[in-house]
Amino acid sequence: MTERIIPIADARYQARIPLVSADTPAATGLLTDRRGRRLHDLRISVTDRCNFRCTYCMPKTVFDRDYAFLPQSSLLSFEEIERVVRAFIAHGVEKVRLTGGEPLLRRNVERLVERLASLRTAAGEPLDLTLTTNASLLARKASALRDAGLRRVTVSLDALDDAVFRQMNDVDFPVADVLAGIEAADAVGLRPLKINMVVRKGVNDHEIVPMARHFRNTGHIVRFIEFMDVGASNGWSMTDVLPSAEVVRRIHDAFPVEQADPNYHGEVAERWRYADGAGEIGVISSVTQPFCGECTRARLSTEGRVYTCLFADSGHDLRALLRGGSDDRTIEAAISTIWHGRDDRYSELRSAETVGLRKIEMSYIGG
Ligand code: SAM
């Protein structure tokens, strides 16, 4: 009998309603957690559904026809998301990424983009607003997203070899359609694009150099991501991880690279520049070089739970406050309480024991 894992049906209901004290000071934009980390960016999962079944993220064995995705009524509305984002901005957030699930599956997502693009940070600047997508609908939506105010986009693509890619997305989706989405986004000015490739040793690591070669001289930045033990369903093992140092070594052998400075404090990807001026790549090494100490990211799940770590096992139910009639000041105070209490640093503590702990699935919490 195959083992059935029911990863979030119960876990997602485990969320504390934030306790807000009446004397919580007003937001100053300078919130820090118990380890002195600022709050700078917010990732928002706008849907827990995806049309891909990537074997390392939403494997078919779990996310099958019987899987209970969230009902529409559970999802935060665009108005609710905007309210939450305003509160996060009051606490200093400047960067917002829409994700999922597959964000372009959320109906009229461009209207949400439009709302968020009109917001201003404390310094009076527009948000650094971006979106991560599998690009299956990008060719169709690129120009509407750009018109709505989206600045940039990150596309996930795990291989250029069509057979390898189809096998990894597990819905037989062709590489050519992702490349068409990338081209469409580029053509309407959503650049530079970032291209995320999750590297699984023995599955697609032979595609590292071809990916680098393909995107050199395009202005797009390929980011090679170490396979992580997110969620409880992807069968992660350390033996599947190809360390980023090895990724860089292989690329360097083909096209010499030199390390570049981070663009800003807390940047997740380590940057490497081609010595011949053909552009740059990034590596994201959350397994071999955890960056918890610099993590300035909060996550808002599809149904309005706030999580302070990708590897969390429970969240904070902001939706209960939003739908319970709380005013903006209370929402801000709740965020303040959540962030002040934050002490997590999962990737620094990762071990054989922690891998088996129950964690929320990435499609729900937002990748
Ligand atoms: N559907 C969108 C997409 O495909 O980009 C957005 C959601 S997806 C969860 C966001 C990113 O997380 C993708 O680039 C995906 O490859 C990455 N991801 C998912 N599971 C991962 C894992 N176990 N380790 C590393 N990255 C992972």
Side-chain angles (χ1 to χ4, degrees), residues 56-57 99-102 132-134 156 196 198 228 230 234 362:
Y56 56 80
C57 185
T99 179
E102 172 45 45
T132 303
T133 174
N134 61 26
S156 303
N196 279 357
V198 175
M228 296 182 289
V230 291
N234 72 2
M362 198 165 183

Side-chain angles (χ1 to χ4, degrees), residues 96-332:
V96 170
R97 177 177 298 277
L98 302 181
T99 179
E102 172 45 45
L104 300 188
L105 287 182
R106 177 83 187 249
R107 200 138 63 93
N108 300 325
V109 72
E110 54 279 9
R111 300 219 182 113
L112 174 63
V113 169
E114 205 167 59
R115 282 172 175 269
L116 302 184
S118 71
L119 302 181
R120 293 292 173 266
T121 66
E125 300 291 332
L127 286 169
D128 178 3
L129 181 61
T130 183
L131 175 150
T132 303
T133 174
N134 61 26
S136 55
L137 299 171
L138 192 55
R140 237 181 288 166
K141 295 219 166 208
S143 102
L145 289 166
R146 191 271 325 270
D147 292 348
L150 193 70
R151 303 282 192 89
R152 298 185 290 108
V153 70
T154 298
V155 168
S156 303
L157 176 61
D158 293 330
L160 281 173
D161 181 295
D162 200 50
V164 174
F165 183 61
R166 285 177 193 255
Q167 190 207 338
M168 287 184 81
N169 65 55
D170 213 11
V171 291
D172 216 25
F173 198 85
V175 168
D177 290 9
V178 176
L179 295 178
I182 291 173
E183 228 171 85
D186 189 27
V188 301
L190 292 173
R191 7 168 226 270
L193 267 89
K194 289 183 180 149
I195 321 273
N196 279 357
M197 170 178 174
V198 175
V199 179
R200 274 188 94 165
K201 201 199 278 182
V203 176
N204 65 340
D205 59 313
H206 58 291
E207 286 289 292
I208 292 169
V209 173
M211 283 282 285
R213 180 180 298 115
H214 184 88
F215 290 105
R216 273 164 51 82
N217 289 309
T218 61
H220 308 326
I221 303 166
V222 185
R223 304 186 322 162
F224 300 89
I225 305 177
E226 287 179 350
F227 174 44
M228 296 182 289
D229 53 327
V230 291
S233 62
N234 72 2
W236 185 90
S237 148
M238 190 62 206
T239 55
D240 294 333
V241 178
L242 187 81
S244 292
E246 174 62 14
V247 172
V248 172
R249 194 193 60 71
R250 289 191 196 179
I251 293 174
H252 184 72
D253 284 351
F255 314 108
V257 285
E258 53 207 26
Q259 196 162 357
D261 291 335
N263 287 312
Y264 57 89
H265 175 79
E267 188 172 29
V268 171
E270 186 181 276
R271 299 172 63 211
W272 292 81
R273 192 181 291 129
Y274 292 116
D276 63 2
E280 68 177 78
I281 57 155
V283 289
I284 300 179
S285 325
S286 67
V287 178
T288 61
Q289 286 172 276
F291 36 80
C292 303
E294 273 89 55
C295 179
T296 54
R297 207 161 309 121
R299 293 166 189 274
L300 182 65
S301 79
T302 314
E303 57 179 342
R305 318 283 205 225
V306 172
Y307 294 86
T308 56
C309 180
L310 178 56
F311 301 93
D313 65 354
S314 64
H316 306 268
D317 187 2
L318 267 199
R319 193 188 63 184
L321 300 182
L322 292 167
R323 297 193 180 167
S326 296
D327 60 10
D328 291 346
R329 178 81 178 73
T330 306
I331 305 293
E332 284 171 23

Side-chain angles (χ1 to χ4, degrees), residues 4 53 58-69:
R4 284 280 300 158
R53 284 292 174 273
M58 294 181 75
K60 274 181 181 168
T61 43
V62 175
F63 296 89
D64 59 9
R65 209 174 296 146
D66 298 330
Y67 186 82
F69 287 101

